[in-house]
């Protein structure tokens, strides 16, 4: 439960001092969603020009300045063969591994389906709110589907902000630690309906054929209208065939979402691929009350959708299914064919064939469905329409952004523009500059000072966390460090 005094102080501190508009577009008041289908929108204006506005809402770019380069001729074995079983955050990786985004921008992709938070805030029953929060937690990892490029490691002190009036939120993040790498973020609803915050320490390990990313750190969502706080951690992400063969991604692990006011808990099982790929991308789970009574069943795929149904109907369907009263999908009892790899021996894991779609149980309700990706997504690192806009630098933005914002990183900008040589040179220069700055601080025995977040404990779990200190949107950036 959020203490009333703390809640009021947070609301006053985060909204009143930062001149929020507190307004949504009329379309979002009605639907809580925005259509991100780029086939219905035109390209943004010339490079560097502000995108035109439609019905008072700013339009965002629908394509990157240059298509992605091919990685087919790049051999990584010489780099990674000495890293088996090691933590990768301290290892300098070649730019061929990357996609033109910082990890801070990757975190911002949690907000693509923010309408689910708005929906939860507007729902009167705690069970309904938990359903929407669970759908948001699943949607937060959906953009990673087929995203085999690694985001750039943020530099110490790097920041990223995003304000989307059409989606009703603003977001700020900061790289608060370099070793270990910790990224802190904070977002709030422009209608003062939620606060969403956390700190992420992604621990990466190389296991010979795959790279595993374990997301350490607590994620917290506060629904201010209902005086509720929810906490959870994300599932583990694994990229297979990083040496040879076709890259593919899976998410696995148990995600537990706790409502700290009611004691309700949602337990989501992101299933590992399994034998023959039968469980690829699948998510199953349930909501239980504080007495562990099951209230709701959920199922789907994190790459597609999430459905829900009451436990009685679910159990009835399963019993009838066992008796053969429901027709099974074609080939559901047969092992799917494997995609043959051209790689000899056991150097690559066969790419599992995803099962057709989610079988919808009669009486289920749809909780969330993924946005369709733009038709040219494969040439843009498999970015979603939301992701394509994250590194957009509009005319005049430099005057309002702090000098630490990701959009101003020359290596990421070079890669986005297709200049790989420049991007590689700038990446090396920035990493060397960061090392020299660290040596200088060591000589002077000076501690690094974060700007927008401070270390503390999560107010609901008690775990170590980084908490938003406020004042970012007052835009006093005079003391920001020179990191680029």
């Amino acid at each position: 439960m959020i203490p009333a005094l703390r809640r009021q102080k947070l609301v006053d501190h985060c909204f009143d001092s930062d001149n929020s508009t507190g307004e949504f577009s009329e379309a979002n008041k009605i639907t809580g969603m925005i259509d991100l289908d780029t086939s219905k929108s035109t390209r943004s204006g010339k490079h560097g020009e502000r995108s035109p506005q439609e019905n008072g809402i700013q339009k965002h770019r629908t394509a990157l300045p240059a298509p992605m380069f091919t990685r087919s001729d790049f051999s990584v074995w010489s780099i990674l063969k000495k890293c088996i079983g090691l933590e990768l955050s301290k290892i300098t990786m070649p730019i061929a591994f990357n996609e033109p985004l910082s990890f801070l921008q990757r975190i911002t992709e949690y907000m693509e389906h923010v309408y689910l938070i708005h929906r939860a805030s507007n729902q009167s029953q705690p069970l309904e709110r938990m359903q929407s929060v669970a759908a948001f937690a699943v949607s937060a990892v959906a953009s990673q589907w087929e995203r085999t490029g690694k985001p750039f490691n943020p530099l110490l002190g790097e920041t990223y902000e995003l304000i989307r009036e059409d989606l009703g939120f603003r977001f700020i993040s900061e790289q608060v630690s370099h070793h270990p790498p910790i990224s802190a973020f904070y977002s709030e609803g422009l209608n003062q309906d939620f606060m969403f915050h956390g700190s992420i320490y992604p621990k990466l390990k190389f296991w010979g054929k795959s790279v595993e990313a374990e997301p350490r750190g607590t994620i917290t969502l506060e629904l201010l209208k209902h005086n509720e706080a929810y906490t959870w951690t994300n599932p583990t992400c694994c990229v297979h065939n990083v040496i040879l063969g076709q890259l593919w991604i899976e998410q696995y692990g148990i995600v537990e979402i706790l409502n700290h006011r009611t004691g309700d808990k949602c337990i989501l099982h992101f299933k590992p691929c399994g034998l023959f790929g039968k469980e690829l991308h699948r998510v199953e789970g349930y909501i239980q009350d504080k007495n562990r009574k099951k209230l709701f069943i959920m199922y789907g795929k994190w790459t597609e959708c999430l459905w829900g149904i009451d436990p009685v109907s679910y159990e009835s369907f399963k019993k009838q299914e066992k008796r053969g009263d429901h027709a099974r999908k074609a080939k559901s009892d047969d092992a799917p064919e494997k995609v043959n790899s051209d790689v000899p021996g056991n150097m690559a894991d066969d790419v599992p064939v995803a099962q057709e779609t989610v079988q919808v149980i009669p009486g289920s309700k749809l909780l969330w469905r993924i946005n369709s990706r733009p038709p040219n997504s494969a040439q843009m690192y498999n970015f979603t329409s939301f992701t394509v806009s994250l590194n957009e630098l509009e005319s005049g933005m430099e005057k309002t952004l702090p000098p630490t914002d990701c959009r101003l990183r020359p290596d990421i900008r070079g890669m986005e523009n297709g200049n790989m040589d420049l991007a590689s040179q700038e990446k090396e220069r920035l990493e060397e500059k960061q090392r020299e700055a660290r040596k200088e601080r060591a000589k002077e025995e000076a501690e690094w000072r974060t700007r927008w977040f401070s270390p503390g404990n999560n107010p609901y779990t008690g775990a170590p966390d980084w908490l938003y200190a406020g004042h970012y949107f007052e835009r006093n950036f005079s003391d920001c460090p020179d990191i680029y």
Side-chain angles (χ1 to χ4, degrees):
M1 184 171 178
I2 307 174
L5 180 60
R6 175 184 175 271
R7 176 172 176 262
Q8 188 58 51
K9 285 182 177 179
L10 281 170
V11 172
D12 293 343
H13 172 67
C14 297
F15 292 103
D16 293 349
S17 64
D18 286 348
N19 302 315
S20 295
T21 62
E23 297 179 357
F24 288 94
S25 68
E26 193 63 31
N28 279 336
K29 288 181 182 177
I30 297 172
T31 66
M33 298 180 65
I34 184 168
D35 189 355
L36 293 177
D37 187 352
T38 57
S39 64
K40 298 179 183 178
S41 63
T42 59
R43 286 280 182 91
S44 57
K46 295 178 181 178
H47 182 66
E49 292 183 359
R50 178 173 291 276
S51 302
Q53 294 195 352
E54 186 176 272
N55 298 327
I57 297 177
Q58 182 182 327
K59 294 172 65 178
H60 298 273
R61 70 183 185 183
T62 60
L64 298 180
M68 68 175 288
F69 68 99
T70 177
R71 298 188 179 103
S72 59
D73 297 328
F74 188 83
S75 174
V76 298
W77 179 242
S78 60
I79 299 167
L80 290 181
K81 63 183 178 181
K82 298 179 182 179
C83 306
I84 295 176
L86 299 181
E87 209 276 317
L88 295 182
S89 64
K90 298 182 180 181
I91 300 169
T92 300
M93 308 295 281
I95 203 168
F97 275 101
N98 290 92
E99 63 181 18
L101 287 178
S102 168
F103 183 70
L104 297 183
Q105 292 165 310
R106 174 71 76 92
I107 292 175
T108 313
E109 294 182 68
Y110 291 168
M111 308 304 293
E112 178 166 350
H113 300 270
V114 68
Y115 74 87
L116 294 166
I117 297 181
H118 297 313
R119 186 174 76 188
S121 181
N122 291 326
Q123 290 171 316
S124 59
Q125 298 301 316
L127 177 58
E128 293 180 330
R129 292 195 292 275
M130 179 63 91
Q131 292 168 15
S132 295
V133 172
F136 176 74
V138 174
S139 77
V141 301
S143 66
Q144 295 184 34
W145 178 39
E146 296 185 330
R147 294 277 293 283
T148 54
K150 175 183 175 295
F152 282 70
N153 292 333
L155 301 169
L156 184 60
E158 187 174 313
T159 61
Y160 181 72
E161 72 162 83
L162 184 65
I163 302 175
R164 289 292 296 263
E165 294 184 4
D166 55 334
L167 300 179
F169 76 90
R170 62 185 184 183
F171 181 101
I172 170 63
S173 57
E174 178 182 7
Q175 189 70 8
V176 294
S177 173
H178 186 59
H179 290 309
I182 301 176
S183 307
F185 69 90
Y186 170 86
S187 181
E188 61 191 22
L190 297 182
N191 229 20
Q192 304 186 20
D193 53 343
F194 76 87
M195 292 189 292
F196 177 58
H197 50 92
S199 50
I200 305 296
Y201 166 22
K203 189 169 185 179
L204 304 178
K205 279 195 173 182
F206 174 56
W207 296 112
K209 297 179 183 179
S210 61
V211 172
E212 185 181 71
E214 179 188 351
R216 300 186 176 185
T218 301
I219 294 174
T220 303
L221 171 63
E222 301 182 35
L223 299 180
L224 303 179
K225 175 181 175 182
H226 302 285
N227 199 31
E228 286 181 340
Y230 302 78
T231 57
W232 68 91
T233 57
N234 280 332
T236 295
C237 178
C238 187
V239 181
H240 293 269
N241 295 342
V242 294
I243 304 300
L244 295 170
Q246 182 180 343
L247 292 165
W248 59 280
I249 291 177
E250 65 174 328
Q251 306 262 3
Y252 47 77
I254 303 294
V255 173
E256 293 189 0
I257 306 171
L258 177 62
N259 182 332
H260 289 262
R261 184 178 71 85
T262 66
D264 292 349
K265 182 183 289 186
C266 176
I267 300 174
L268 293 170
H269 185 190
F270 286 72
K271 296 201 167 186
C273 174
L275 190 62
F276 305 124
K278 284 188 175 182
E279 303 297 332
L280 184 64
H281 304 152
R282 291 196 178 277
V283 180
E284 293 181 357
Y286 55 90
I287 298 172
Q288 65 182 28
D289 64 16
K290 62 182 179 181
N291 297 317
R292 297 189 177 183
K293 178 185 177 181
K294 287 188 180 180
L295 306 175
F296 197 70
I297 306 296
M298 289 174 291
Y299 61 94
K301 291 184 177 182
W302 62 268
T303 55
E304 293 182 26
C305 55
L306 188 69
W307 293 83
I309 192 170
D310 67 276
V312 174
S313 299
Y314 178 80
E315 292 300 330
S316 175
F317 175 82
K318 288 299 182 183
K319 288 179 182 178
Q320 292 174 359
E321 187 180 44
K322 286 181 180 179
R323 292 198 300 263
D325 293 343
H326 288 268
R328 295 177 181 271
K329 290 198 161 193
K331 296 186 179 179
S332 62
D333 290 331
D334 300 325
E337 296 179 2
K338 294 183 179 180
V339 176
N340 291 327
S341 170
D342 294 330
V343 182
N346 295 319
M347 288 300 292
D349 294 324
D350 288 321
V351 181
V353 178
Q355 303 298 299
E356 286 282 312
T357 57
V358 174
Q359 183 180 10
V360 180
I361 301 172
S364 298
K365 70 174 182 178
L366 180 66
L367 301 175
W368 162 78
R369 189 183 296 280
I370 196 170
N371 290 327
S372 59
R373 293 190 177 180
N376 53 345
S377 177
Q379 287 75 50
M380 299 189 300
Y381 305 88
N382 290 310
F383 285 0
T384 68
S385 297
F386 180 85
T387 308
V388 167
S389 68
L390 292 180
N391 204 45
E392 187 173 12
L393 186 62
E394 300 162 4
S395 178
M397 254 191 177
E398 297 94 330
K399 297 178 182 178
T400 59
L401 292 173
T404 52
D405 194 277
C406 301
R407 297 177 183 87
L408 305 178
R409 272 189 68 159
D411 51 353
I412 296 178
R413 184 63 56 190
M415 185 176 191
E416 180 181 276
N417 290 333
N419 192 335
M420 301 302 294
D421 290 338
L422 174 64
S424 183
Q425 293 169 9
E426 287 295 328
K427 181 174 180 288
E428 291 179 12
R429 181 184 66 82
L430 292 176
E431 290 170 350
E432 181 58 31
K433 182 173 182 175
Q434 182 170 239
R435 284 190 287 268
E436 290 300 319
R438 186 168 62 248
K439 290 177 183 178
E440 285 298 317
R441 289 195 302 274
K443 280 183 183 179
E444 299 172 4
E445 297 183 347
E447 292 289 331
W448 174 262
R449 183 176 67 87
T450 56
R451 264 59 180 178
W452 314 114
F453 293 83
S454 57
N457 295 102
N458 186 285
Y460 308 104
T461 67
D465 204 350
W466 286 81
L467 308 176
Y468 179 54
H471 307 296
Y472 175 88
F473 292 100
E474 295 173 8
R475 301 203 176 278
N476 179 8
F477 303 138
S478 57
D479 64 342
C480 286
D482 173 17
I483 60 175
Y484 301 145

